[in-house]
Amino acid sequence: GDSFESPEVVLVYSATGLEGMSHAFHGFYRENLMPERFKGTVPPVLLNTWEAMYFDVSHERVMDLARSAVKVGVELIVLDDGWFGNRQDATSSLGDWYEDLKKFPSGMEGLSNDINSLGLKFGLWVEPEMISVDSQLYAQHPEWCLNQQGRNFRCEGRNQLVLDFSREEVQQYIIDKLSDILSKANIEYMKWDMNRHLTEVYGNQIDPRKQGEVFHRYMVGVYKVLGTINQRFPDLRIETCSGGGGGLDPG
């Protein structure tokens, strides 16, 4: 009774080398994959808070940056890492997707309203596939991580672990948290980051004989979350990111 849904594959041919293949891929994705609402549009010029502030973000600091940015033609302000949980550095709070009200007393709603009042759009950074050991989520659900429970070794790359997106409860948790944030504020862009590799890919709820399926089930889970968010918030631009570079999977 088992079934397996293979990934979609796109193949192109070019008689003009790699450049021709690249153009063919770009044309295909623009025509067949890009949502109709974004076809033919020019993405807004954005300024991200990361290099300016790193984790030292606050309502007033972001607004100061926005007031300067609007003068030079920036159209979108993106609040990067440091806005959630108790996130003061890279060692904590991934998975605790709620506003730090000490830094943002009026939450994302108040910040987005003030950003919009300057004529700018507002965007937000998230890293939904990751979890910090020093987080409320990990304290409640250590079994939600991709590693074999009970083993003495695991890789905490960049001080974080990877959530097991093959689990339906993980998918639903992230859908609920992101939906709550996006529903409360006028967020028009989301930067979906992923800053480490998948290692110790073991699903604790999967039969040991089927552990080879975990990678695939993981990606199906990620696509389910992205698809649900796209459906609920059709005007939201989502940019997948990987350690500062663009995510290569068209999804």
Side-chain angles (χ1 to χ4, degrees):
D2 285 354
S3 63
F4 177 77
E5 180 182 349
S6 63
E8 292 182 346
V9 177
V10 176
L11 301 175
V12 300
Y13 166 79
S14 169
T16 57
L18 291 175
E19 183 177 359
M21 293 181 70
S22 179
H23 290 172
F25 272 124
H26 291 170
F28 176 82
Y29 288 139
R30 280 198 301 268
E31 185 61 32
N32 297 285
L33 188 67
M34 182 177 291
E36 286 289 336
R37 61 192 180 276
F38 294 139
K39 276 187 180 180
T41 64
V42 178
V45 177
L46 70 82
L47 179 62
N48 186 296
T49 61
W50 181 243
E51 298 293 344
M53 303 176 194
Y54 294 106
F55 297 99
D56 190 18
V57 291
S58 68
H59 185 110
E60 281 309 314
R61 293 202 75 199
V62 175
M63 288 306 301
D64 285 344
L65 185 69
R67 294 183 191 101
S68 297
V70 73
K71 298 175 184 177
V72 294
V74 169
E75 300 167 296
L76 165 67
I77 293 293
V78 179
L79 173 57
D80 209 277
D81 203 346
W83 60 269
F84 55 92
N86 189 34
R87 183 80 160 171
Q88 309 302 325
D89 53 35
T91 65
S92 78
S93 299
L94 290 172
D96 298 341
W97 300 112
Y98 56 87
E99 300 106 322
D100 181 348
L101 295 179
K102 296 188 296 294
K103 295 180 179 180
F104 299 94
S106 56
M108 294 302 102
E109 180 181 13
L111 179 61
S112 64
N113 288 341
D114 286 353
I115 293 290
N116 292 161
S117 72
L118 299 176
L120 295 168
K121 300 178 185 296
F122 177 65
L124 193 65
W125 176 97
V126 291
E127 195 176 7
E129 295 166 76
M130 301 298 158
I131 180 172
S132 300
V133 174
D134 182 9
S135 67
Q136 293 181 16
L137 181 60
Y138 184 83
Q140 296 167 3
H141 294 289
E143 75 281 6
W144 282 8
C145 298
L146 274 182
N147 60 71
Q148 191 170 2
Q149 295 293 297
R151 298 194 68 175
N152 294 325
F153 174 80
R154 66 186 181 193
C155 175
E156 296 182 19
R158 203 175 179 268
N159 304 297
Q160 58 200 53
L161 297 171
V162 183
L163 281 172
D164 182 359
F165 266 66
S166 73
R167 303 179 73 116
E168 291 188 2
E169 60 267 46
V170 170
Q171 300 164 20
Q172 193 59 53
Y173 173 84
I174 295 299
I175 289 170
D176 290 345
K177 288 298 182 183
L178 294 182
S179 295
D180 181 60
I181 296 163
L182 293 167
S183 297
K184 292 190 298 186
N186 187 27
I187 299 170
E188 299 181 68
Y189 166 95
M190 184 168 68
K191 177 182 173 183
W192 179 300
D193 211 343
M194 184 182 183
N195 283 310
R196 61 154 289 177
H197 300 292
L198 273 62
T199 58
E200 297 91 48
V201 180
Y202 188 96
N204 289 286
Q205 90 290 6
I206 303 292
D207 188 293
R209 294 167 296 180
K210 295 188 175 183
Q211 287 300 313
E213 300 178 9
V214 176
F215 255 121
H216 180 260
R217 293 188 185 199
Y218 176 97
M219 286 311 306
V220 171
V222 171
Y223 288 159
K224 177 185 175 181
V225 174
L226 283 166
T228 302
I229 296 301
N230 261 315
Q231 186 177 39
R232 290 184 180 180
F233 305 95
D235 295 324
L236 177 71
R237 288 182 185 265
I238 302 176
E239 182 174 7
T240 53
C241 175
S242 181
L248 297 179
D249 189 346

